[in-house]
Structure formats: C-alpha cells, structure tokens
Amino acid sequence: MELDFDAAEHLEAVERRVFSPQHDGDLAHAVTLSRRFEAPAEELWKAVTDRERLQRWFMPVGGELRLGGRYQFEGNAGGTITGCQPPSFLAVTWEFAGDVSWVEVRVSNDGAKGGRLTLTHTSRPSAHWDEYGPGATGVGWELGLVGLAFHIVRPSEPKLDEVAFATSRRGRAFIAGSGEAWGQAAVAAGAATDVAKAAADRTTAFYLGE
C-alpha cells in the first residue's frame, strides 16, 4: 500500500538557508530550516522538549532534560542543553562520532492557529561538509520535520516507519527533492553550481541507500 504523503507539499513547506557564521571566533558552516505547523507555539514546544512526545516522532531520549543537563538520543547524538527559554528557545551541543556541533531551535506563533519552528545546525568546516555539503545535515533534519508534521496532525498514531518511508516511491521522491533543494540553497549561499550539485547527489545517494 502506497504511503499517503504529498512529497511536493512537504518540500514546499520548508524554508532553507545555508550560511557561514563565526562560532567562538572561528569560521563555521550552518544550515537553517524553518517550517510552519498547524499547531500553536506552545504545542510545538511540548513536542520538541517532552521526553514522551519526542520518542513518538523523533527518537527515544534519556538523560536530564533541563538547562545544563546531559541528554542522549538512543543510538544517535547526545550532548549538553546549553540554553532553554520556554516556550521559545532551546540550544544544545550535538555530539556524535567524536564530533561536536551546535543546534538551536526557536518556536514562535505563526497566524491564529499555527506555529513556526526554526532550527539551525552549526558545525566546524570538515571533509564531510566538503564531500556532502549542507544536505548531509539538512536532509536529515528535514526528514525529522516530516515526522513532526505527521505527529502534530495525528498525535495518537505510531511514529512514522522510517524504513517504509525511505523505500516508498513518495518517500524516495521527497528525499531526492530535499537533496536537490539543499544543493540549490548552497548555490544561493555562493557555492559553485557543479560543486553543490555533486555534493547534493552524493547526499541523496546516501539517504536513498544507493
């Protein structure tokens, strides 16, 4: 049975930006994703900070979910909660495979019944960025926001099956579209078109398991 999912709608819902900020005095790379959801800011805040809610759309998380506390996503990244201003701002270190990067999440109301989530992931220059570009981070987070969108609309249903999604025709179309969009965002930020496209193609192939 084909997944009930409109790839184009979800791709168009995300605003993408690539830029090179200073972090602790050094040049860094960053991606920002911004998306509106049919839920007020308070509901979005609960979805991204509540332990029970997180495992229903993202991943199970352990540790101390408080300012200064250490968290650990099961089988994935962990880190320290470095900023927390409920219900609008969250900042964490993102520690994975011996590397440290930084994630900030901002939540705000957007219209009478909607809310907007804006996520920025900043990392140091690396060979990984040179090879895969911003899509390596951007596609992953964009897939996460799809899970959040499903959860907001259908909060009582089980988490979206990642394998079923990634192997479905519409899921694969979404991944390919996201990879291409991040390549375009890299070009908009000043990357050479051929370099950005090659990196985007490698990212897409990785997420598609090719």
Side-chain angles (χ1 to χ4, degrees), residues 61-82:
V61 60
E64 298 180 280
L65 303 188
R66 58 170 179 79
L67 183 62
R70 295 281 302 179
Y71 72 92
Q72 179 64 55
F73 283 111
E74 188 175 293
N76 204 288
T80 300
I81 300 172
T82 57

Side-chain angles (χ1 to χ4, degrees), residues 12-66:
E12 292 169 3
V14 178
E15 297 175 9
R16 306 167 188 84
R17 182 187 174 211
V18 178
F19 59 108
S20 298
Q22 291 283 323
H23 187 88
D24 291 337
D26 296 320
L27 182 68
H29 294 304
V31 300
T32 292
L33 306 85
S34 184
R35 175 168 179 167
R36 185 182 187 278
F37 295 86
E38 292 299 326
E42 293 78 5
E43 178 68 11
L44 284 178
W45 178 260
K46 291 176 184 177
V48 299
T49 59
D50 181 82
R51 190 188 308 270
E52 192 275 333
R53 295 285 296 274
L54 276 166
Q55 70 177 351
R56 287 160 56 190
W57 69 270
F58 194 52
M59 288 181 279
V61 60
E64 298 180 280
L65 303 188
R66 58 170 179 79

Side-chain angles (χ1 to χ4, degrees), residues 30 39 64 68 81 91 119-120 125 132 139 141 144-145 157 162 164 179 206 209:
E64 298 180 280
I81 300 172
L119 183 149
T120 298
Y132 293 100
V139 174
W141 283 117
L145 295 188
E157 293 190 11
E162 295 176 5
F206 171 81

Side-chain angles (χ1 to χ4, degrees), residues 69-165:
R70 295 281 302 179
Y71 72 92
Q72 179 64 55
F73 283 111
E74 188 175 293
N76 204 288
T80 300
I81 300 172
T82 57
C84 185
Q85 299 171 14
S88 60
F89 177 74
L90 177 69
V92 301
T93 62
W94 190 263
E95 302 170 23
F96 182 72
D99 187 37
V100 180
S101 53
W102 305 271
V103 174
E104 294 183 353
V105 176
R106 289 177 169 80
V107 178
S108 60
N109 283 313
D110 189 344
K113 297 181 180 179
R116 179 168 293 276
L117 185 148
T118 300
L119 183 149
T120 298
H121 194 151
T122 304
S123 57
R124 298 184 179 92
S126 65
H128 186 267
W129 178 279
D130 292 340
E131 183 173 3
Y132 293 100
T137 303
V139 174
W141 283 117
E142 202 162 333
L143 287 165
L145 295 188
V146 169
L148 178 56
F150 271 72
H151 173 68
I152 291 297
V153 174
R154 307 165 185 171
S156 62
E157 293 190 11
K159 178 184 173 183
L160 183 67
D161 188 307
E162 295 176 5
V163 174
F165 179 84

